[in-house]
Amino acid sequence: MDEPKWAYDTFLRHAAYGDLLHHNASVCTFVERKDSAEFEVLELGPGDSIFTAIIANRMGASKSYLVDVADAALSGYDDCRRMIRYLEDKGFCCDDLISLKDSKAIYDRIGLEYAIRGIESIKLMESNSIDFIVSNSVLEHLPKREFEGYMEELYRVLRPGGKVVHHIDLKDHLGGGLYNLRFSEQVWERPLFSQSGFYTNRIRCNALIELITAVGFHLEKVSEFTWSELPISRESLAAPFRYLSEEELKIRGVHIALTKNGEDCK
């Protein structure tokens, strides 16, 4: 999310989907917690920028963890200034950030922690500490063998009553259809594919929700995005995808909101 407008619009869309926005303010802010002045955000897979942390801080977050598997973020001073100027134009007060002279000082002021060890980084985080977990077109890239472990760790760090919002792109990352479902599991999970830039774990919508809720998350809402017709013939699909319902195969993306109930606190 290296463009300020896109980063801002995307983050607000996810926060709104999780019912986390204060709608009576002149600028968008997080709904205040009744039991604490702290509000911590975790973004899984920030990709090419740290903009989420700047946005979240201006909306009231005291700390943001950005967790990825490689150091790919544009994190220079000029990049931060672009995002700060955009937020100023949106009505946010950024005087304290504008006065800072380097990117490290900005990171310290907004409470940013940038980690690049994936699930191992999340394992180091405190249990029941995060108020809002968000990802945008990331879950489909998690290695299939690690998916359940990621969900368990995200559930552990989420505080009771906290919110999770994921947008998951179920299209293949080759041509935007379902071409990746033509390969057998044995072939697709080989390093040639699993270590490529177009790898997705191919977990379909219903299975995704089952895996996510199995660790304890409560599903609050789900929005499915579908094709009007299948982009590929069923006969060309590998098992077990060939035997999925047409309704399931037509789902090209999904937006989900989750929470962790108080009685589930571990």
Side-chain angles (χ1 to χ4, degrees), residues 21-32:
L21 295 185
H22 193 301
H23 295 288
N24 297 322
S26 57
V27 294
C28 292
T29 58
F30 290 120
V31 174
E32 293 182 5

Side-chain angles (χ1 to χ4, degrees), residues 31-48:
V31 174
E32 293 182 5
R33 287 181 55 180
K34 296 180 180 180
D35 59 339
S36 175
E38 301 296 309
F39 192 97
E40 300 191 3
V41 173
L42 164 60
E43 181 181 20
L44 185 63
D48 53 11

Side-chain angles (χ1 to χ4, degrees), residues 100-163:
L100 300 176
K101 302 302 182 183
D102 60 72
S103 56
K104 184 181 184 305
I106 293 174
Y107 299 165
D108 291 342
R109 180 65 59 87
I110 65 176
L112 167 63
E113 287 202 19
Y114 181 63
I116 56 172
R117 295 180 59 217
I119 192 171
E120 296 304 318
S121 296
I122 302 174
K123 287 179 179 179
L124 299 176
M125 297 170 60
E126 185 179 345
S127 298
N128 305 309
S129 62
I130 303 298
D131 296 275
F132 181 34
I133 298 173
V134 61
S135 75
N136 189 71
S137 298
V138 171
L139 293 198
E140 70 270 18
H141 292 290
L142 299 180
K144 189 172 183 179
R145 65 185 182 278
E146 298 179 12
F147 191 89
E148 185 176 0
Y150 266 98
M151 295 306 103
E152 290 173 344
E153 284 302 309
L154 293 180
Y155 182 80
R156 180 185 63 80
V157 301
L158 185 69
R159 71 167 180 85
K163 297 295 185 78

Side-chain angles (χ1 to χ4, degrees), residues 80-236:
C80 293
R81 295 271 294 190
R82 283 194 299 129
M83 187 71 248
I84 293 167
R85 289 299 187 189
Y86 181 84
L87 291 173
E88 275 197 320
D89 291 343
K90 299 295 289 186
F92 290 90
C93 179
C94 297
D95 293 346
D96 60 321
L97 298 182
I98 289 294
S99 63
L100 300 176
K101 302 302 182 183
D102 60 72
S103 56
K104 184 181 184 305
I106 293 174
Y107 299 165
D108 291 342
R109 180 65 59 87
I110 65 176
L112 167 63
E113 287 202 19
Y114 181 63
I116 56 172
R117 295 180 59 217
I119 192 171
E120 296 304 318
S121 296
I122 302 174
K123 287 179 179 179
L124 299 176
M125 297 170 60
E126 185 179 345
S127 298
N128 305 309
S129 62
I130 303 298
D131 296 275
F132 181 34
I133 298 173
V134 61
S135 75
N136 189 71
S137 298
V138 171
L139 293 198
E140 70 270 18
H141 292 290
L142 299 180
K144 189 172 183 179
R145 65 185 182 278
E146 298 179 12
F147 191 89
E148 185 176 0
Y150 266 98
M151 295 306 103
E152 290 173 344
E153 284 302 309
L154 293 180
Y155 182 80
R156 180 185 63 80
V157 301
L158 185 69
R159 71 167 180 85
K163 297 295 185 78
V164 181
V165 174
H166 298 297
H167 177 271
I168 308 156
D169 184 356
L170 298 178
K171 303 186 301 293
D172 73 51
H173 289 39
L174 295 164
L178 291 176
Y179 185 83
N180 58 345
L181 303 190
R182 298 179 60 175
F183 299 90
S184 69
E185 183 85 357
Q186 181 181 11
V187 171
W188 188 254
E189 292 297 327
R190 288 176 181 171
L192 176 65
F193 289 96
S194 63
Q195 296 177 13
S196 70
F198 57 77
Y199 172 82
T200 59
N201 52 46
R202 306 191 301 174
I203 305 172
R204 305 306 296 169
C205 182
N206 289 339
L208 272 168
I209 292 174
E210 288 179 7
L211 287 169
I212 291 170
T213 55
V215 304
F217 284 115
H218 172 68
L219 182 65
E220 290 196 317
K221 63 175 77 169
V222 56
S223 301
E224 297 175 352
F225 310 97
T226 61
W227 287 293
S228 58
E229 58 184 44
L230 286 180
I232 194 171
S233 66
R234 180 181 294 275
E235 291 73 22
S236 64

